[in-house]
């Protein structure tokens, strides 16, 4: 049985916390999509829902990576006032489900065949104890390098495929008077770069140190090498580094002020929002040395158990975000690729098509890993222990060896 919205766009007005909605039912959605590209993606969702008779009450909490949104969500739930639905990353889904706050989406998942079309690695986070508790809207890939075609062409450079090429390109870009590697000084952005470097050293290091939290791997010579490479990358940041938001950092590449940025493909959403073509004006390649592997993070919408009155709207939202047409339109804007495998690829840009092909290759080779920086590696408290060490390293002159030792201690203390 397909659960359809019980309410076509309603002529009926419903009073809603002082505001008046023309929809018979509304969803209040907590999310952190506030940059230009992200907000455009939110509009796709809002319009899709409104077209099906479900109103949208926006609860946007700014802050890349979602830390501030998760703090607000906790406060709302603690106050006994959860939103209808919330954006969350993989481990958060598990934690909220474990606490018993999430509604069950099995009925709609079975009716719409989610089990058949969502990759098992994503299902592992969207399901809790065998039950669907959150709808996956995308697959993001955090280990990309974005390059200014203007600067690369001017200097006769190619996108780098190994770290030697990366540093040679960075030196040439810096010598020409541009910022070589635009970076934003926030813990999650720093961790996004660092985890990609760890993956580039050896996928087995990523698995043992970041997914399994093995102390030997955390303190290994390979980990020291990862911090050494990260120290070098940090050396190419500009003076505006401290505290800068990721989208303002992306804007430096879009505007041709910086040569490269290492960032997830939400940066591609900014490129699209700026009217540029990914793969043409803004070049993309995976972080040197990570070809063959695929880090992923998925944005889910989890439905809070807010009583029967909201269930039809929640089902409607879950059905909407999982439809083939929505996943295509939304992900074209968001920069990510669909969370279902049966969405036509033809309309996606070259970088997204590379992502889809790489995902298939990495899945077949068992080289798909959850992103630690983006909530798919460790529970929040332990993830925080990693990020503390990485940001302390990035904002000091700590040696790579001391950082690796600090990582062992910090992760052990959080366990
Ligand atoms: C989310 C993306 C978001 C990015 C920056 C990531 O953790 O998965 O959807 O665009 O953070 O805010």
């Amino acid at each position: 049985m397909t659960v359809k919205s019980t309410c076509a766009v309603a002529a009926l007005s419903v009073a809603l916390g002082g505001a008046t909605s023309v929809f018979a039912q509304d969803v209040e959605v907590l999310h952190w999509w506030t940059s230009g590209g992200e907000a455009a993606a939110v509009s796709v969702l809002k319009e899709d829902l409104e077209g099906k008779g479900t109103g949208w009450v926006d609860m946007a909490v700014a802050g890349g990576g979602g830390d501030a949104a998760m703090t607000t969500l906790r406060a709302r739930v603690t106050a006994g006032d959860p939103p209808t639905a919330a954006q969350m990353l993989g481990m958060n889904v598990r934690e909220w489900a474990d606490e018993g706050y999430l509604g069950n989406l099995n009925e709609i998942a079975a009716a719409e065949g989610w089990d058949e079309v969502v990759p098992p690695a994503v299902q592992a986070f969207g399901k809790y104890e065998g039950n669907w508790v959150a709808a996956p809207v995308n697959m993001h890939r955090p280990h990309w390098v974005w390059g200014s075609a203007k600067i690369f062409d001017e200097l006769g450079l190619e996108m780098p495929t190994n770290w030697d090429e990366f540093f040679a390109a960075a030196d040439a870009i810096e010598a020409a008077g541009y910022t070589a590697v635009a970076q934003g000084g926030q813990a999650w952005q720093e961790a996004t770069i660092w985890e990609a470097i760890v993956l580039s050293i050896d996928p087995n290091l990523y698995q043992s140190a970041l997914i399994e939290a093995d102390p030997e791997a955390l303190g290994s010579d390979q980990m020291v090498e990862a911090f050494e490479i990260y120290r070098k990358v940090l050396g190419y940041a500009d003076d505006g580094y401290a505290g800068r938001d990721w989208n303002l950092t992306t804007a430096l590449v879009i505007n041709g002020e910086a040569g490269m940025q290492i960032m997830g493909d939400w940066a591609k959403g900014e490129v699209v929002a700026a009217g540029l073509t990914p793969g043409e004006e803004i070049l993309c390649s995976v972080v040197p040395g990570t070809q063959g592997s695929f880090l992923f993070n998925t944005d889910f919408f989890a439905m809070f158990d807010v009583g029967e009155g909201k269930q039809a709207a929640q089902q409607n939202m879950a059905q909407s975000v999982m439809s083939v047409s929505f996943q295509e339109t939304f992900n074209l804007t968001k920069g990510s690729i669909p969370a279902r495998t049966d969405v036509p690829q033809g309309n996606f840009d070259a970088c997204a098509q590379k992502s889809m092909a790489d995902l298939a290759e990495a899945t077949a080779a068992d080289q798909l890993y959850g992103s630690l920086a983006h909530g798919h590696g460790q529970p929040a408290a332990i993830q925080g222990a990693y990020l503390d060490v990485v940001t302390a390293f990035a904002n000091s002159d700590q040696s790579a060896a001391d950082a690796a030792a600090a990582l062992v201690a910090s992760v052990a203390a959080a366990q």
Side-chain angles (χ1 to χ4, degrees), residues 229-413:
I229 293 177
Y230 185 33
R231 175 65 71 214
K232 253 184 117 172
V233 172
L234 284 160
Y236 292 96
D238 68 311
D239 291 345
Y241 166 76
R244 183 166 53 212
D245 289 331
W246 67 272
N247 51 319
L248 302 180
T249 311
T250 306
L252 296 176
V253 180
I254 290 176
N255 297 337
E257 293 168 55
M260 297 185 275
Q261 179 188 20
I262 296 175
M263 189 43 64
D265 43 18
W266 41 91
K268 187 156 68 66
E270 299 304 295
V271 174
V272 172
L276 302 181
T277 306
E280 291 182 18
E281 287 103 330
I282 301 299
L283 308 172
C284 61
S285 60
V286 293
V287 165
T290 66
Q291 186 61 44
S293 304
F294 196 106
L295 291 187
F296 80 100
N297 61 296
T298 286
D299 292 301
F300 290 87
F301 281 109
M303 307 299 160
F304 277 78
D305 200 355
V306 285
E308 290 196 0
K310 289 287 182 194
Q311 273 174 8
Q314 289 179 320
Q315 297 273 329
N316 200 15
M317 179 170 173
Q319 187 193 29
S320 272
V321 303
M322 285 300 291
S323 76
V324 171
S325 62
F326 173 79
Q327 292 240 341
E328 181 184 33
T329 314
F330 177 86
N331 286 298
L332 285 171
T333 308
K334 185 69 179 69
S336 34
I337 60 174
R340 43 189 300 161
T341 48
D342 57 348
V343 176
Q345 302 193 356
N347 288 331
F348 283 87
D349 59 63
C351 309
Q353 292 201 6
K354 171 170 171 52
S355 211
M356 294 182 206
D358 287 357
L359 174 63
E361 184 194 318
T363 305
D366 201 15
Q367 291 297 315
L368 180 60
Y369 303 94
S371 159
L372 174 85
H374 296 275
H376 286 70
Q378 295 289 339
I382 300 176
Q383 177 202 28
Y386 284 82
L387 265 60
D388 287 350
V389 172
V390 172
T391 197
F393 176 79
N395 293 284
S396 70
D397 59 1
Q398 188 181 38
S399 73
D402 286 353
L407 196 56
V408 177
S410 178
V411 171

Side-chain angles (χ1 to χ4, degrees), residues 25-39:
Q25 286 221 326
D26 298 270
V27 281
E28 188 201 13
V29 185
L30 188 147
H31 63 90
W32 67 90
W33 287 333
T34 56
S35 74
E38 291 174 330

Side-chain angles (χ1 to χ4, degrees), residues 114-186:
W114 294 6
D115 280 352
E116 281 73 61
V117 294
V118 176
V122 176
Q123 289 193 30
F125 291 103
K127 279 179 162 177
Y128 180 74
E129 293 181 343
N131 299 311
W132 278 101
V133 292
V137 68
N138 60 14
M139 279 182 93
H140 269 304
R141 189 181 199 185
H143 56 121
W144 286 102
V145 181
W146 305 99
S148 157
K150 173 183 98 62
I151 295 176
F152 272 70
D153 287 351
E154 177 192 318
L155 303 177
L157 298 170
E158 299 281 335
M159 287 294 271
T161 60
N162 58 45
W163 285 113
D164 285 345
E165 287 174 16
F166 180 90
F167 292 123
D171 285 340
I173 295 166
E174 202 166 71
Y178 301 107
T179 296
V181 190
Q183 300 170 58
Q186 295 170 348

